Amino acid sequence: MHRLYQPVLEILEASSRDIVLPYYQNLQSHEVDEKTPGDLVTVADKLSEEFISEALTALTPDAKLVGEEAFAADPAVMDQIAEGQVWIVDPIDGTGNYAAGKPPFGILIALAEHNRTVAGWLYDPLTGRICHAVKNGGAFMNGAPIAVPEDHPDRPVAALATGFMTVEQQERLLDDAEPFYQIVDIPRCAAEQYPRLVLGTNHISVFHRTLPWDHAAGILFLNEAGGKCARWDGSSYRPADRKKGLLGASSPKLWDEAAERLGDIFRI
């Protein structure tokens, strides 16, 4: 595991214990706001990011830090990701679920170096599950190595995030997927979706919006576990990229099949 695995886990646990869980199912109406229509932020998101940012800065003073809420306040912070060592933080992933008082939700931290993700942490506050990955070092769940299942059903399970697509793209994707996949609801939480792909609960996932705090940690976790997540053309995800579209799968073979079957949405 990464040399900072334990201190970062302790930061996650502290944020969860002292901020995220005390506000869970206890938010007042004035403590929930919209950054954009349908994109919620709570007081817990802001306090969690402040705490995590301060703790990571104390841990690695020379590293930069980019958080989801800092980006919402100043989009220019995204420009920091491309160079040097950068922490990328989602203080509460799945805020819509969290604000509604229901799971799943999580906390995501990724460490990038020169626009490549080198380590990731995906933490579930309700269960204490910690998923972790190190570039070229493997994937771990609750401290134990983990790999994607070798066997998959004839009709793999697909969770398709279509919310940021055009109506035409949504319709095309669903029409193309229906003959081959069992389509299920998405968890609306990347901190849960990527573990589902690794565990084999889901086998295919499609994302359109690919912001780094949502995806950098999970992509590394899936890839290091033996699955595959990449752009539709097969190129690797880079946190500073502002491209759209990701395809994730529980194996490279499933990824290749899905790319051929579903890739038409990006020709619309």
Side-chain angles (χ1 to χ4, degrees):
M1 290 186 280
H2 194 271
R3 63 182 180 83
L4 295 176
Y5 168 76
Q6 189 60 38
V8 174
L9 175 57
E10 291 171 3
I11 292 168
L12 288 163
E13 291 173 335
S15 182
S16 173
R17 179 187 65 244
D18 298 338
I19 300 169
V20 176
L21 290 180
Y23 277 101
Y24 180 53
Q25 298 180 334
N26 289 305
L27 288 165
Q28 304 301 309
S29 59
H30 68 276
E31 295 173 328
V32 182
D33 200 0
E34 281 189 324
K35 292 181 286 189
T36 59
D39 188 6
L40 300 181
V41 62
T42 73
V43 63
D45 291 82
K46 297 175 181 178
L47 292 174
S48 177
E49 183 163 307
E50 289 173 6
F51 172 82
I52 292 171
S53 299
E54 291 176 4
L56 290 175
T57 298
L59 186 64
T60 55
D62 294 332
K64 293 174 285 187
L65 193 141
V66 175
E68 178 179 8
E69 305 316 324
F71 170 80
D74 179 11
V77 301
M78 180 81 92
D79 298 334
Q80 300 181 68
I81 296 178
E83 299 295 336
Q85 187 178 63
V86 187
W87 291 105
I88 303 170
V89 177
D90 191 338
I92 300 179
D93 180 62
T95 298
N97 297 336
Y98 178 81
K102 63 182 183 181
F105 56 90
I107 308 174
L108 298 171
I109 297 178
L111 181 61
E113 294 178 353
H114 306 295
N115 204 19
R116 289 178 171 84
T117 310
V118 298
W121 291 254
L122 303 88
Y123 185 72
D124 183 337
L126 291 175
T127 66
R129 181 186 68 192
I130 177 64
C131 300
H132 174 61
V134 183
K135 182 67 175 175
N136 299 321
F140 306 84
M141 184 176 287
N142 297 329
I146 189 169
V148 295
E150 293 184 4
D151 297 325
H152 306 104
D154 293 336
R155 190 175 175 85
V157 176
L160 310 175
T162 62
F164 296 96
M165 296 179 182
T166 67
V167 172
E168 189 176 2
Q169 286 175 325
Q170 292 173 356
E171 293 174 349
R172 174 68 67 83
L173 177 62
L174 294 172
D175 286 346
D176 288 349
E178 197 280 330
F180 304 103
Y181 302 106
Q182 177 189 345
I183 301 172
V184 297
D185 290 339
I186 60 171
R188 302 184 186 281
C189 172
E192 172 64 20
Q193 186 60 70
Y194 284 104
R196 288 185 183 186
L197 290 168
V198 170
L199 292 168
T201 308
N202 295 168
H203 305 99
I204 299 293
S205 287
V206 169
F207 304 97
H208 194 63
R209 191 174 72 166
T210 62
L211 297 169
W213 38 86
D214 291 328
H215 294 282
I219 290 169
L220 183 65
F221 179 61
L222 176 58
N223 287 342
E224 287 294 324
K228 181 175 179 179
C229 190
R231 298 293 184 185
W232 284 92
D233 63 1
S235 61
S236 298
Y237 178 81
R238 299 289 184 88
D241 292 349
R242 299 183 186 240
K243 300 177 183 177
K244 294 182 179 180
L246 277 171
L247 174 62
S250 295
S251 75
K253 179 177 182 293
L254 287 173
W255 192 96
D256 289 343
E257 292 174 349
E260 182 176 350
R261 292 166 174 171
L262 308 179
D264 281 347
I265 61 166
F266 283 96
R267 287 188 278 274
I268 294 175

